[in-house]
């Protein structure tokens, strides 16, 4: 067990997220924010030093030399960061800018559940028929389109259009994520599949936490700032998902079952 690597990775993530959250409230010039930034860099350097010398490093950097593994993990981080960060901001937007009650806001999220259900049912047959590369590209682009609709709806004050965005985002994710996981597992030797899956899941969850911290900082304050923060969140998410689609396009991926 790489105890030093585990502890340093945990402290690094905590320092990074705390710094991101406090930077908006305190300002970039605040001494605590600067201290958090220095601590983040120092912990990152310490983690890299320890992992290069660990007998069984918690972060197996050699796996990132594999193109499919590297691109699929990057894909997963972009998808998670945008989704979890956006969900946090949308909840603030509905209740602060649109004055929904908590129950109304919860009901507005039902299309997200429906979208995941639909795409998860269809993703298996689609991956079997098309392989993993095309569903990942398509999923990222559908997800991207959902954020485009959401940005337009938040400015146009149209809840019906916003619900369409709520549907498209999980449809894209649900289509892409099973293909992404299959790509990661197929890119490594079977003896290292558990390690590869752990790295993928850790990277995705860390990205989700960072997404909440960054997008939450952008959308803090008065309702007008939350509405502006949601539009910024959508714009950043569109760019991130475009990069994810490019990463998916560079995959060899798993071929269709028929081949």
């Amino acid at each position: 067990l790489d105890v030093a690597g585990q502890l340093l990775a945990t402290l690094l993530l905590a320092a990074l997220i705390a710094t991101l959250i406090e930077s908006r409230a305190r300002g970039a010039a605040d001494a605590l924010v600067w201290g958090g930034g220095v601590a983040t860099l120092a912990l990152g350097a310490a983690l890299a030093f320890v992992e290069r010398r660990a007998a069984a490093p918690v972060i197996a950097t050699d796996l990132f030399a594999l193109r499919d593994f590297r691109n699929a993990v990057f894909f997963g981080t972009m998808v998670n960061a945008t989704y979890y960060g956006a969900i946090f901001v949308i909840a603030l937007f509905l209740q602060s800018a649109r004055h929904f009650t908590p129950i109304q806001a919860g009901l507005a999220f039902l299309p997200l559940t429906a979208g995941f259900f639909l795409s998860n049912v269809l993703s298996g047959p689609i991956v079997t028929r098309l392989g993993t590369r095309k569903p990942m590209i398509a999923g990222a682009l559908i997800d991207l389109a959902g954020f485009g609709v959401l940005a337009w709806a938040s400015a146009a004050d149209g809840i019906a259009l916003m619900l369409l965005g709520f549907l498209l985002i999980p449809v894209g994710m649900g289509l892409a994520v099973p293909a992404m996981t299959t790509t990661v597992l197929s890119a490594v030797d079977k003896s290292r599949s558990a390690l590869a899956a752990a790295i993928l899941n850790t990277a995705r969850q860390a990205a989700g936490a960072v997404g909440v911290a960054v997008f939450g900082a952008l959308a803090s304050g008065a309702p007008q700032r939350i509405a502006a923060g949601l539009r910024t969140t959508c714009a950043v998410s569109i760019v991130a998902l475009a990069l994810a689609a490019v990463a998916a396009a560079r995959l060899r991926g798993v071929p269709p079952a028929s081949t």
Side-chain angles (χ1 to χ4, degrees):
L1 182 64
D2 181 14
V3 176
Q6 293 275 6
L7 290 175
L8 285 170
T10 301
L11 291 172
L12 170 61
L13 185 59
L16 172 62
I17 292 173
T19 301
L20 292 171
I21 290 173
E22 293 300 324
S23 63
R24 183 61 181 257
R26 295 176 176 271
D30 185 83
L32 284 176
V33 174
W34 273 91
V38 171
T40 300
L41 293 174
L43 288 164
L47 178 62
F49 178 83
V50 167
E51 292 301 273
R52 281 199 299 267
R53 288 157 178 77
V58 67
I59 302 175
T61 54
D62 62 303
L63 291 181
F64 287 91
L66 304 171
R67 186 177 69 180
D68 274 16
F69 180 85
R70 180 176 65 248
N71 284 315
V73 170
F74 174 80
F75 185 97
T77 60
M78 293 297 100
V79 168
N80 266 46
T82 55
Y83 176 74
Y84 286 105
I87 288 298
F88 182 76
V89 176
I90 291 167
L92 294 177
F93 174 79
L94 290 175
Q95 294 180 75
S96 296
R98 291 290 178 85
H99 307 295
F100 279 31
T101 66
I103 291 178
Q104 288 172 329
L107 291 174
F109 279 105
L110 284 177
L112 287 167
T113 305
F116 277 122
F117 176 79
L118 175 65
S119 56
N120 282 331
V121 168
L122 297 176
S123 62
I126 290 174
V127 169
T128 300
R129 183 176 180 85
L130 300 178
T132 59
R133 182 172 171 270
K134 290 179 180 178
M136 288 176 66
I137 296 171
L141 294 178
I142 294 170
D143 199 351
L144 183 156
F147 278 105
V149 170
L150 190 60
W152 185 15
S154 64
D157 199 38
I159 188 62
L161 196 59
M162 181 171 284
L163 293 178
L164 175 60
F166 285 4
L167 181 62
L168 289 173
I169 290 170
V171 166
M173 279 189 68
L175 177 62
V177 167
M180 172 200 69
T181 304
T182 301
T183 300
V184 165
L185 295 177
S186 67
V188 303
D189 187 85
K190 289 184 178 180
S191 64
R192 307 187 78 188
S193 59
L195 177 61
I199 292 174
L200 171 64
N201 287 331
T202 301
R204 291 179 62 200
Q205 297 307 318
V210 172
V212 170
V214 172
F215 293 158
L218 291 174
S220 61
Q224 295 84 356
R225 288 183 63 179
I226 293 175
L230 177 57
R231 290 190 286 274
T232 302
T233 293
C234 291
V236 173
S237 297
I238 288 170
V239 173
L241 290 166
L243 293 174
V246 171
R250 298 181 61 189
L251 294 170
R252 286 186 293 269
V254 178
S258 59
T259 60

